[in-house]
């Protein structure tokens, strides 16, 4: 009897745990479904609102000219503005900020994980976490109060002129300050996950601490560093408030190539004057939103492809033999064609 009771109690507990597992799975699936539906709804809403200015006239009868949207070097909200140069400016400003933020973040993470004393390691990590949680508007105020006067003084020193310090360079510096904490945190996490035995083996073979850090730790954590870089790029591409406060929201055509000029990006153009916008002046911002989504998606795809390629190279995986064969065949055909021409 006792053994039967024990078995029945065990079965009841097992059935109870199974029901709990099913309930938890259902809750998680339901939450995931809600999140997916919200994302799909947002994308559909932006697509619908973004296409409307091209096909449906607003209250004043204005529509967005398609050719002007791609070719006009100036931006106007009346249906004749062009976004191509703003898109290029957005990518340009982001790339310049990454030139500053990515190396700085990697070396900061390496210093915190492998170089600095344990007594200050947690203090530095906490400081980076605090910086990562600061709202963008605070970075914008920092750019207005600190960076703009510095950029203005630097421009005067080299014989250039800025609009009171508002410039592409100031926007680049603000974006760099904003993305450094994000990339640094992810880099720290990936470096801490590197197996300590790899470092010990490197040191045992005679490598110095610096060689071990650069050739072992950084290589082993490059996947996480790429992930942090992707997050940093996403934040830089999508930033509007802080950038609008320092970049000037002006400029035409290729003016953004001069880092001391003012200019506008996709996000700052979407944000500027949105509270008073109506009709096509409001709807056209969703068209810019579609362009921004495409830029972010394409950038993430390219970075992930680069990350996978570098991972395969590091692992020493063989290249695609089919591709190599195709290249060799093309080379043979070209050599045969050149030989026939000579004869």
């Amino acid at each position: 009897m006792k053994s039967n009771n024990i078995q029945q109690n065990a079965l009841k507990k097992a059935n109870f745990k199974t029901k709990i597992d099913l309930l938890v799975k259902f809750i998680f699936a339901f939450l995931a479904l809600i999140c997916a539906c919200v994302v799909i709804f947002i994308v559909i809403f932006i697509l619908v609102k973004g296409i409307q200015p091209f096909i449906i006239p607003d209250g004043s009868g204005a529509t967005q000219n398609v050719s002007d949207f791609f070719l006009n070097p100036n931006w106007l909200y009346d249906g004749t503005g062009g976004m191509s140069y703003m898109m290029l400016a957005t990518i340009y400003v982001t790339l310049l900020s990454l030139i500053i933020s990515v190396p700085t973040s990697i070396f900061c993470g390496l210093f915190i994980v492998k170089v600095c004393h344990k007594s200050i390691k947690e203090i530095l990590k906490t400081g980076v976490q605090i910086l990562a949680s600061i709202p963008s508007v605070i970075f914008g105020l920092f750019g207005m109060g600190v960076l703009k006067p510095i950029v203005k003084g630097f421009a005067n020193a080299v014989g250039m002129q800025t609009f009171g310090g508002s410039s592409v360079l100031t926007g680049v510096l603000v974006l760099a300050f904003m993305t450094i904490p994000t990339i640094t945190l992810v880099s720290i996490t990936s470096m801490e996950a590197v197996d300590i035995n790899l470092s010990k083996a490197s040191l045992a073979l005679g490598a110095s601490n610096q060689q071990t850090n650069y050739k072992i730790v950084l290589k082993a954590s490059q996947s996480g560093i790429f992930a942090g870089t992707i997050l940093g790029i996403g934040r830089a591409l999508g930033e509007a408030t802080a950038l609008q406060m320092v970049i000037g929201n002006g400029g035409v055509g290729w003016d953004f190539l001069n880092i001391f000029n003012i200019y506008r990006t996709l996000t700052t153009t979407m944000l500027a004057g949105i509270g008073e916008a109506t009709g096509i002046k409001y709807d056209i911002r969703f068209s810019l939103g579609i362009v921004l989504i495409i830029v972010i998606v394409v950038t993430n795809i390219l970075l992930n492809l680069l990350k996978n390629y570098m991972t395969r190279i590091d692992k020493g995986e063989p290249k695609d033999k089919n591709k190599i064969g195709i290249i060799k065949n093309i080379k043979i055909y070209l050599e045969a064609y050149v030989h026939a021409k000579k004869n």
Side-chain angles (χ1 to χ4, degrees), residues 73-77 82 85-86 89-90 93 163 166-168 243-258 260-266 268-269 272:
N74 192 17
W75 175 257
L76 300 169
Y77 291 96
Y85 290 94
M86 288 192 301
T90 303
V93 171
F163 294 80
S166 294
S167 63
V168 171
L243 203 55
Q244 187 189 28
M245 298 167 74
V246 297
I247 203 169
N249 284 333
V252 179
W254 297 100
D255 286 351
F256 63 86
L257 293 177
N258 182 351
F260 295 106
N261 277 340
I262 59 173
Y263 212 81
R264 62 173 76 239
T265 63
L266 291 171
T268 60
T269 304

Side-chain angles (χ1 to χ4, degrees), residues 138-161:
I138 304 300
F139 284 101
L141 291 173
F142 174 78
M144 291 180 65
V146 178
L147 297 180
K148 283 174 67 172
I150 294 175
V151 171
K152 181 181 178 182
F154 175 71
N156 292 335
V158 298
M160 301 297 292
Q161 185 176 359

Side-chain angles (χ1 to χ4, degrees), residues 187-258:
S187 299
I188 289 172
T189 303
S190 61
M191 290 177 192
E192 288 178 337
V194 175
D195 190 353
I196 190 64
N197 291 324
L198 293 175
S199 298
K200 290 180 178 180
S202 175
L203 294 171
L205 290 171
S208 64
N209 286 325
Q210 289 77 11
Q211 290 174 325
T212 300
N213 290 337
Y214 286 115
K215 295 185 178 181
I216 303 299
V217 177
L218 287 184
K219 274 205 168 187
S221 59
Q222 72 176 15
S223 179
I225 292 172
F226 260 102
T229 303
I230 291 172
L231 289 176
I233 290 175
R235 182 168 189 185
L237 287 173
E239 182 52 46
T241 305
L243 203 55
Q244 187 189 28
M245 298 167 74
V246 297
I247 203 169
N249 284 333
V252 179
W254 297 100
D255 286 351
F256 63 86
L257 293 177
N258 182 351

Side-chain angles (χ1 to χ4, degrees), residues 23-336:
L23 178 63
V24 171
K25 287 181 180 179
F26 174 78
I27 293 173
F28 285 162
F30 180 71
L31 293 175
L33 181 63
I34 290 177
C35 294
C37 290
V38 169
V39 172
I40 293 171
F41 172 77
I42 291 173
V43 171
I44 293 174
F45 177 77
I46 292 175
L47 287 174
V48 172
K49 293 288 287 185
I51 294 172
Q52 279 184 359
F54 296 93
I55 56 178
I56 301 176
D58 67 350
S60 62
T63 58
Q64 173 66 44
N65 185 282
V66 178
S67 61
D68 285 341
F69 187 71
F70 290 98
L71 302 176
N72 191 351
N74 192 17
W75 175 257
L76 300 169
Y77 291 96
D78 60 358
T80 61
M83 65 84 199
S84 297
Y85 290 94
M86 288 192 301
M87 181 184 69
L88 294 174
T90 303
I91 298 172
Y92 178 71
V93 171
T94 302
L95 288 177
L96 288 182
S97 68
L98 289 176
I99 292 174
I100 301 172
S101 62
V102 172
T104 305
S105 302
I106 293 173
F107 290 124
C108 282
L110 189 62
F111 174 79
I112 292 173
V113 174
K114 293 295 181 181
V115 179
C116 74
H117 195 271
K118 292 182 179 179
S119 59
I120 62 171
K121 178 179 177 180
E122 292 301 322
I123 298 175
L124 292 177
K125 283 182 65 176
T126 303
V128 174
Q129 291 169 355
I130 293 172
L131 286 175
S133 64
I134 292 177
S136 6
V137 67
I138 304 300
F139 284 101
L141 291 173
F142 174 78
M144 291 180 65
V146 178
L147 297 180
K148 283 174 67 172
I150 294 175
V151 171
K152 181 181 178 182
F154 175 71
N156 292 335
V158 298
M160 301 297 292
Q161 185 176 359
T162 62
F163 294 80
S166 294
S167 63
V168 171
L169 178 58
T170 313
V172 167
L173 293 175
V174 168
L175 286 182
F177 279 114
M178 292 181 63
T179 53
I180 283 173
T182 302
I183 302 175
T184 302
L185 281 178
V186 181
S187 299
I188 289 172
T189 303
S190 61
M191 290 177 192
E192 288 178 337
V194 175
D195 190 353
I196 190 64
N197 291 324
L198 293 175
S199 298
K200 290 180 178 180
S202 175
L203 294 171
L205 290 171
S208 64
N209 286 325
Q210 289 77 11
Q211 290 174 325
T212 300
N213 290 337
Y214 286 115
K215 295 185 178 181
I216 303 299
V217 177
L218 287 184
K219 274 205 168 187
S221 59
Q222 72 176 15
S223 179
I225 292 172
F226 260 102
T229 303
I230 291 172
L231 289 176
I233 290 175
R235 182 168 189 185
L237 287 173
E239 182 52 46
T241 305
L243 203 55
Q244 187 189 28
M245 298 167 74
V246 297
I247 203 169
N249 284 333
V252 179
W254 297 100
D255 286 351
F256 63 86
L257 293 177
N258 182 351
I259 59 174
F260 295 106
N261 277 340
I262 59 173
Y263 212 81
R264 62 173 76 239
T265 63
L266 291 171
T267 51
T268 60
T269 304
M270 292 164 63
L271 182 63
I274 192 171
E276 297 81 26
T278 57
I280 192 171
K281 295 181 180 179
Y282 177 78
D283 291 338
I284 196 62
R285 300 168 198 268
F286 291 94
S287 305
L288 296 179
I290 295 175
V291 176
L292 182 62
I293 289 173
I294 294 172
V295 169
I296 292 174
V297 170
V298 170
T299 302
N300 287 343
I301 290 173
L302 292 177
L303 285 173
N304 278 300
L305 289 175
L306 177 61
K307 182 184 75 172
N308 294 335
Y309 173 76
M310 293 185 67
T311 302
R312 289 198 302 270
I313 293 297
D314 287 338
K315 290 182 178 179
E317 294 181 2
K319 296 180 180 179
D320 192 338
K321 293 182 179 180
N322 293 329
K323 291 181 180 178
I324 295 175
I326 292 172
I327 294 172
K328 284 185 177 179
N329 289 333
I330 293 173
K331 184 178 179 181
I332 291 171
Y333 289 140
L334 288 175
E335 288 176 350

